């Protein structure tokens, strides 16, 4: 079975380099056109909104999972296929992790890093490393070079076992992202 539900974690800001927003738009469009269902945080702001708008414009399905705090701030995206309201950030994160067949990390800040770390840390529930969903870090304009260097440092220091991380991918182009999504199959 091929992947269907693709969770996208990304910044609630645009970032300073227009390449970030450009890639977010390209990703949304590619997900929509290739019939993946995009699942994300449900907001209108920053790269989140750009990616979701592009997926919808390309005829895709988009599900947003949004905590009450952002509904109160009127930052919920009301033009999605589905918007699921949840009480808080923790429930949202858990729902996204449960729903995702694959996970994509776009440029973002601390919130995105937390979502990446929490998703990667769930590997213990899968048992077999080959059953783990792919986590694709999009290293656009080298934004994650520092993080990737830290992962290497953990490996060298003996705190990360590389054989446990076969599902972690790094991509710099949309072709690489789509190649991973289309190549892998879910058991
Ligand atoms: P950051 O990488 O720090 O910009 O955080 C990105 C994450 O913060 C998103 O995936 C959301 O979990 C959350 N977030 C921040 N602002 C909003 C918002 N206005 N609407 C929805 N989610 C938000």
């Amino acid at each position: 079975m091929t992947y269907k539900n693709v969770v996208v974690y990304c910044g609630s800001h645009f970032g300073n380099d227009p390449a970030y927003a450009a890639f977010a738009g390209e990703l949304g469009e590619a997900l929509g056109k290739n019939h993946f269902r995009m699942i994300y945080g449900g907001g209108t702001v920053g790269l989140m909104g750009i990616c979701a708008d592009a997926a919808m414009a390309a005829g895709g399905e988009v599900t947003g999972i949004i905590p009450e705090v952002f509904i109160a701030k009127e930052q919920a995206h009301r033009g999605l296929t589905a918007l699921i309201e949840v009480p808080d950030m923790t429930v949202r994160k858990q729902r996204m992790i449960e729903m995702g067949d694959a996970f994509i990390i776009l440029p973002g800040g601390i919130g995105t890093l937390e979502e990446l770390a929490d998703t990667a840390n769930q590997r213990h529930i899968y048992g077999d490393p080959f059953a783990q969903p792919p986590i694709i870090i999009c290293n656009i304009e080298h934004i994650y070079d520092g993080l990737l260097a830290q992962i290497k440092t953990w490996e060298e220091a003996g705190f990360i076992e590389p054989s446990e991380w076969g599902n972690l991918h790094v991509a710099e182009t949309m072709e690489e992202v789509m190649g991973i999504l289309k190549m892998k199959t879910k058991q």
Side-chain angles (χ1 to χ4, degrees):
M1 196 169 81
T2 53
Y3 296 127
K4 175 70 183 169
N5 298 306
V6 177
V7 172
V8 180
Y9 297 133
C10 55
S12 55
H13 294 82
F14 294 105
N16 293 331
D17 190 323
Y20 304 140
F23 197 85
E26 235 186 285
L27 175 66
E29 188 180 351
L31 292 177
K33 282 190 175 159
N34 287 283
H35 311 293
F36 291 106
R37 182 183 296 119
M38 174 179 162
I39 296 167
Y40 84 116
T44 50
V45 292
L47 299 189
M48 306 174 83
I50 289 186
C51 193
D53 285 344
M56 292 297 296
E61 274 182 66
V62 182
T63 296
I65 305 183
I66 191 150
E68 283 165 7
V69 61
F70 296 123
I71 295 169
K73 288 187 189 171
E74 297 186 355
Q75 289 174 341
H77 197 311
R78 298 290 175 185
L80 305 175
T81 316
L83 186 70
I84 300 172
E85 300 183 7
V86 291
D88 57 43
M89 304 286 265
T90 307
V91 175
R92 171 214 249 174
K93 205 168 43 178
Q94 200 53 40
R95 289 289 286 277
M96 290 169 97
I97 289 169
E98 285 163 7
M99 288 172 78
D101 299 326
F103 297 84
I104 298 181
I105 320 300
L106 286 180
I110 296 290
T112 304
L113 176 65
E114 187 215 14
E115 290 161 342
L116 163 63
D118 213 354
T119 304
N121 202 28
Q122 305 282 327
R123 70 191 185 284
H124 304 292
I125 66 178
Y126 295 101
D128 177 359
F130 295 103
Q132 294 171 22
I135 299 174
I136 307 168
I137 298 176
C138 298
N139 193 20
I140 308 308
E141 300 299 328
H142 303 283
I143 182 128
Y144 289 122
D145 279 0
L147 175 66
L148 297 171
Q150 181 60 51
I151 291 173
K152 193 89 201 135
T153 300
W154 279 320
E155 276 181 24
E156 286 165 4
F159 287 104
I160 278 186
E161 172 52 58
S163 66
E164 289 181 6
W165 293 90
N167 64 327
L168 200 67
H169 305 267
V170 180
E172 285 170 12
T173 65
M174 196 55 58
E175 289 69 33
E176 289 173 294
V177 173
M178 285 297 136
I180 295 163
L181 286 183
K182 287 180 178 174
M183 188 178 67
K184 298 269 180 169
T185 56
K186 197 180 165 201
Q187 298 305 311

